[in-house]
Amino acid sequence: SIGYRYEWSLEEAKKNILRTHTTASSSRMLYKLAQQKTFAPCKYFSIDRVFRNEHLDKTHLAEFHQVEGLIADKGLSLSHLIGTIKAF
């Protein structure tokens, strides 16, 4: 791929970056769930600090905490989601 037309570097790709959201963690857990040979109900919650490159003012900061969760089981409905959110 010529992408952005710059020389790709393995060393640069290995550098740590500030996380901008927790969706990657949730996606990884969904992928693991899909790889199971037999389905098993599970719950996964992530509370992480994330960073954004935004203009700072009294209502917007560059870092904050994001909460995200997944519950996988058979027979779940919207009422289960609402109950979980209220309990959390």
Side-chain angles (χ1 to χ4, degrees):
S1 168
I2 57 174
Y4 291 107
R5 300 189 188 279
Y6 68 91
E7 191 70 29
W8 185 83
S9 162
L10 179 61
E11 293 78 27
E12 188 69 24
K14 287 184 174 182
K15 288 182 180 179
N16 289 330
I17 61 171
L18 298 175
R19 185 185 326 218
T20 58
H21 53 79
T22 60
T23 305
S25 299
S26 296
S27 298
R28 187 171 37 252
M29 295 310 295
L30 283 172
Y31 178 77
K32 286 182 179 182
L33 179 64
Q35 299 305 308
Q36 293 178 356
K37 296 211 185 290
T38 58
F39 176 77
C42 68
K43 294 180 182 179
Y44 165 76
F45 292 91
S46 172
I47 303 172
D48 289 314
R49 187 167 55 168
V50 295
F51 304 87
R52 297 285 168 90
N53 184 14
E54 294 180 352
H55 176 72
L56 300 178
D57 62 29
K58 65 181 180 179
T59 62
H60 296 89
L61 297 177
E63 66 179 83
F64 57 93
H65 286 84
Q66 182 172 334
V67 178
E68 194 167 290
L70 299 169
I71 300 175
D73 200 354
K74 296 178 180 178
L76 293 178
S77 67
L78 182 58
S79 64
H80 290 97
L81 172 62
I82 293 169
T84 300
I85 292 171
K86 285 182 180 178
F88 185 71

